[in-house]
Amino acid sequence: MENWYLPITLLPGIALMLLSTSNLMVALNNEINDYVGSKPINDKIITRKLAQLKLLNTTMVLFYVSIAFLVISGLLGGIGLTVNLREKIMIYITIIGIVVFLLGIVCLISYSYRSVNIHQEQFKTD
């Protein structure tokens, strides 16, 4: 494949999403710690926030897996020029990497939607 560098060029965008998701995780973790430290503890909201933290963790794992597939695809494409690997393998691995990344995006959309609902409930009860 002549465009073996294509999967590698997607990595900075995925890394940016990974960084922003990491920042979301840190902020949510701090929010949970602050909420647990307060006197009137609402176990339902804390449980929902912990589920959100798990969803963000799943998202980060999906992003890391996507990065792995894209790096492998780029390496195989670069090596394939000299070792004569089939182009289809690289294309399939790139597609898998993109699909896994899209699954991570779906998790972030779900997180955002749930986060709004949790905050509405949190401020309604306070």
Side-chain angles (χ1 to χ4, degrees):
M1 182 172 195
E2 291 178 16
N3 297 326
W4 62 269
Y5 51 87
L6 179 65
I8 303 300
T9 60
L10 298 175
L11 292 180
I14 296 173
L16 184 62
M17 292 296 292
L18 189 61
L19 179 63
S20 68
T21 304
S22 175
N23 289 336
L24 284 173
M25 276 185 70
V26 169
L28 182 59
N29 192 24
N30 290 338
E31 189 177 337
I32 291 169
N33 284 335
D34 291 342
Y35 204 75
V36 168
S38 65
K39 290 296 178 191
I41 297 176
N42 187 339
D43 290 335
K44 182 180 177 185
I45 290 179
I46 292 172
T47 303
R48 290 177 70 189
K49 286 183 182 276
L50 288 172
Q52 289 290 89
L53 197 59
K54 183 177 180 182
L55 184 61
L56 285 177
N57 188 40
T58 301
T59 301
M60 288 190 60
V61 168
L62 289 171
F63 287 165
Y64 282 124
V65 169
S66 175
I67 287 171
F69 276 116
L70 292 173
V71 167
I72 290 169
S73 176
L75 287 174
L76 288 177
I79 294 170
L81 296 175
T82 57
V83 180
N84 224 1
L85 290 176
R86 296 177 63 197
E87 287 183 19
K88 289 183 181 181
I89 294 172
M90 185 187 156
I91 292 171
Y92 293 144
I93 293 173
T94 301
I95 290 171
I96 291 170
I98 292 170
V99 168
V100 171
F101 177 69
L102 290 175
L103 288 174
I105 296 290
V106 168
C107 287
L108 280 179
I109 291 169
S110 175
Y111 165 81
S112 298
Y113 180 75
R114 292 178 186 179
S115 180
V116 169
N117 289 336
I118 291 171
H119 278 81
Q120 286 176 342
E121 182 180 327
Q122 178 181 359
F123 294 125
K124 186 184 293 184
T125 59
D126 284 344

